[in-house]
Amino acid sequence: MRWDVWGDGPPVVFCHGTPWSSALWRPFADALSSGFRVHLWDMPGYGQSSMEAEHRVSLDVQGELLSDLVGHWGLDRPHLIAHDYGGAVALRAHLLHGALYGSLTLVDVVALAPWGSEFFRLVRDNAEVFAALPAAVHEGAVRAYIKGASHRGLDERRMGMLVEPWLGSLGQAAFYRQIAQADQAYTDEVEPLYGSLALPVLIVWGVEDTWIPVDRAHALAEAIPGARLQLVRDAGHLIQLDAPEGLATVLHGWLVEQGQRRA
């Protein structure tokens, strides 16, 4: 598993989702590193981490691994910032595996049932067929899938960054494997526990998110005691690319506020 740590100050851990990697969070980590000790990691099966078939990539594994990482890094209640599938990972690590956070920021996250698109369900039922697609057809499918996550559209550089890890025989198999192992049962297990969350929680959502519509943000805010909800206009599911300045402002303001609260 690949991870990176730099900067000085209170610890901040970023969690990516699917089919993304820590590259999506790196510009935000760089921006915060002058005042915070930032931690990026690629979940197994994603980015620069192992994509070998014998390494499970399901939510239960990722949640336990995040808890272990927080311990390995020797962090005392870091601030967690999670996107998409990473939200479920961060919630499982805290609620089931005892990882303690100073605060939790959930950005367009997978957390409430039902989740998983029609494409997800189709792949889950036919993963071996999709893994055998010709490389060019596979790349076209991944590009079309990712395109729908952005409200403002992606230039070729950004599209290439998001698609590249999933190309080649290893990447193609890994792309469909992580979808095949995605199971709503892992969020069903923790969803009844959201009412027990007793830490500062910020929910950030792109108003134009078509992957996980904004009504999920309102429902999640109602489920978590004291959660604060911040909506970002003109942003879809890939809020990091659709509204980077707005998101960076929200994250920095929240983290500074948490530092003042702890002082």
Side-chain angles (χ1 to χ4, degrees):
M1 188 188 65
R2 295 294 296 270
W3 52 270
D4 200 1
V5 180
W6 72 102
D8 295 297
V12 177
V13 177
F14 289 88
C15 298
H16 68 82
T18 180
W20 325 117
S21 73
S22 62
L24 205 54
W25 279 127
R26 183 165 288 273
F28 297 87
D30 275 336
L32 289 169
S33 63
S34 61
F36 298 89
R37 182 81 166 160
V38 294
H39 301 69
L40 291 182
W41 63 298
D42 282 338
M43 293 188 293
Y46 297 83
Q48 297 183 55
S49 288
S50 169
M51 291 186 173
E52 297 297 334
E54 64 266 25
H55 296 158
R56 288 180 55 215
V57 297
S58 51
L59 266 173
D60 57 334
V61 171
Q62 310 288 15
E64 187 171 1
L65 179 56
L66 173 57
S67 180
D68 289 344
L69 265 180
V70 170
H72 175 73
W73 286 327
L75 303 182
D76 178 21
R77 297 180 183 270
H79 301 289
L80 254 290
I81 300 175
H83 176 241
D84 184 83
Y85 197 71
V89 172
L91 286 163
R92 286 185 63 90
H94 176 66
L95 292 168
L96 298 183
H97 302 294
L100 299 179
Y101 310 144
S103 70
L104 177 60
T105 302
L106 302 172
V107 183
D108 293 78
V109 294
V110 171
L112 299 174
W115 57 268
S117 65
E118 292 183 5
F119 178 72
F120 246 65
R121 290 189 288 272
L122 183 63
V123 169
R124 209 159 38 216
D125 294 339
N126 303 276
E128 292 184 3
V129 174
F130 278 90
L133 287 174
V137 176
H138 163 70
E139 181 175 350
V142 174
R143 283 176 170 267
Y145 178 57
I146 288 175
K147 181 180 178 181
S150 171
H151 174 63
R152 295 190 176 183
L154 300 170
D155 60 27
E156 184 54 36
R157 180 184 66 82
R158 289 172 171 174
M159 178 65 82
M161 174 192 75
L162 299 172
V163 172
E164 191 277 333
W166 304 116
L167 302 183
S169 58
L170 194 64
Q172 179 170 340
F175 180 79
Y176 298 114
R177 186 182 309 113
Q178 51 93 15
I179 295 178
Q181 292 185 25
D183 192 331
Q184 185 178 296
Y186 296 126
T187 52
D188 290 344
E189 190 176 3
V190 291
E191 189 172 332
L193 305 178
Y194 295 164
S196 69
L197 287 168
L199 75 166
V201 176
L202 173 66
I203 298 169
V204 185
W205 222 272
V207 172
E208 309 300 333
D209 190 337
T210 57
W211 278 23
I212 311 178
V214 70
D215 68 302
R216 302 280 85 191
H218 293 283
L220 187 58
E222 291 179 3
I224 299 175
R228 184 184 305 177
L229 175 60
Q230 178 71 54
L231 302 181
V232 179
R233 299 193 178 279
D234 298 320
H237 190 68
L238 276 174
I239 189 172
Q240 297 95 331
L241 303 182
D242 283 347
E245 296 87 359
L247 179 59
T249 299
V250 169
L251 295 179
H252 182 265
W254 170 257
L255 291 172
V256 169
E257 178 184 336
Q258 300 315 304
Q260 294 170 345
R261 187 191 304 249
R262 293 179 69 174

